[in-house]
Amino acid sequence: MDLIRQAYATKAREYVELFGSSDKVHADDLSLIEHYLSLRPGAVLDIGSGPGHLTEYLRTLNVDACGIDLVPQFIDHARNTYPDGRYELGSFRQLAVANGSVFGILAWYSLIHVPPEDLAGVLVELRRVTANGATLVIGFFDGDRLESFEHAVATAYYWPVDQLAAQLQDAGFIEIERLQRPGVNEPGRRPHAVLVARAT
Ligand SMILES: C[S@@+](CC[C@H](N)C(=O)[O-])C[C@H]1O[C@@H](n2cnc3c(N)ncnc32)[C@H](O)[C@@H]1O
């Protein structure tokens, strides 16, 4: 965890410039996030919120959204850029949030660095804080096999969608939608997937 924090801290400014705006997020993804996370009342956590732009996107949709990230530079940036938003320094491995108090979670490319053997524990923590019926939206790198690769910031993992959906099910989340987009149109762009699941 310290390695991830340090890696993102070193590259925080560059990351903000490259990715820190919701107009850099595909329109289909924004629609899906809006559809699943804005239509019901209640608190939504944007875990691993990075620059905070998707927390802000949710806030502009009248969602009671809170961004949580491990990296102080990202939290400072988000608080300065979106002063009306809520951003907290913390880890999704151990959330300072009461059991069953959250109605939605966005994990947008934030679980990509979690070593596969640790993912079950993280998902149990997410299930702990979610109310029954809450919605979880995960964006990640799609892969034919579960394997690591050297991401620009730190080691990350490709997940086959079925395999991640099975892990979600083991933690008490049932898949309700998936979206997959091949990474063919831009050089260097990797296959993308989103899983939407409901806490059962
Ligand atoms: C690829 S970035 C995605 C950031 C943002 N969600 C976005 O879409 O641009 C991964 C983010 O996850 C955060 N992160 C990684 N491990 C974390 C943890 N254990 N708890 C909270 N945030 C974490 C990193 O600091 C980083 O901001």
Side-chain angles (χ1 to χ4, degrees):
M1 200 160 86
D2 286 347
L3 284 177
I4 296 292
R5 184 191 288 114
Q6 277 163 20
Y8 274 100
T10 308
K11 300 209 168 176
R13 190 176 299 184
E14 193 185 335
Y15 190 93
V16 167
E17 274 168 27
L18 283 174
F19 302 110
S21 156
S22 53
D23 57 19
K24 308 245 167 86
V25 180
H26 196 288
D28 292 350
D29 295 332
L30 291 177
S31 301
L32 189 133
I33 290 168
E34 175 178 2
H35 180 73
Y36 282 106
L37 293 176
S38 78
L39 295 182
R40 290 188 303 161
V44 171
L45 301 181
D46 176 10
I47 58 163
S49 50
H53 50 289
L54 287 175
T55 318
E56 175 65 7
Y57 175 68
L58 290 168
R59 199 188 65 79
T60 60
L61 297 169
N62 294 319
V63 176
D64 174 17
C66 179
I68 295 174
D69 205 279
L70 206 53
V71 174
Q73 287 86 341
F74 279 144
I75 296 299
D76 290 346
H77 166 84
R79 286 177 175 160
N80 288 332
T81 311
Y82 311 111
D84 293 332
R86 266 196 309 136
Y87 297 90
E88 304 289 344
L89 193 62
S91 172
F92 52 62
R93 288 172 180 264
Q94 195 169 14
L95 291 160
V97 174
N99 293 357
S101 62
V102 167
F103 292 82
I105 294 181
L106 177 63
W108 201 251
Y109 280 86
S110 51
L111 303 181
I112 60 170
H113 303 294
V114 174
E117 64 274 18
D118 290 359
L119 189 67
V122 171
L123 295 179
V124 165
E125 175 63 355
L126 301 188
R127 185 63 189 87
R128 176 187 73 74
V129 301
T130 44
N132 292 339
T135 309
L136 170 63
V137 178
I138 306 181
F140 58 100
F141 294 112
D142 193 358
D144 296 331
R145 283 176 297 140
L146 172 53
E147 60 183 344
S148 65
F149 66 95
E150 288 319 305
H151 176 271
V153 182
T155 300
Y157 298 85
Y158 291 108
W159 276 89
V161 180
D162 285 341
Q163 210 169 330
L164 187 53
Q167 288 249 351
L168 287 171
Q169 184 159 359
D170 289 346
F173 293 99
I174 291 289
E175 176 185 348
I176 52 176
E177 184 164 344
R178 66 175 65 186
L179 177 157
Q180 288 171 277
R181 200 163 49 238
V184 288
N185 292 330
E186 281 178 46
R189 183 164 282 269
R190 297 187 167 92
H192 163 78
V194 184
L195 266 173
V196 183
R198 187 141 287 155
T200 56

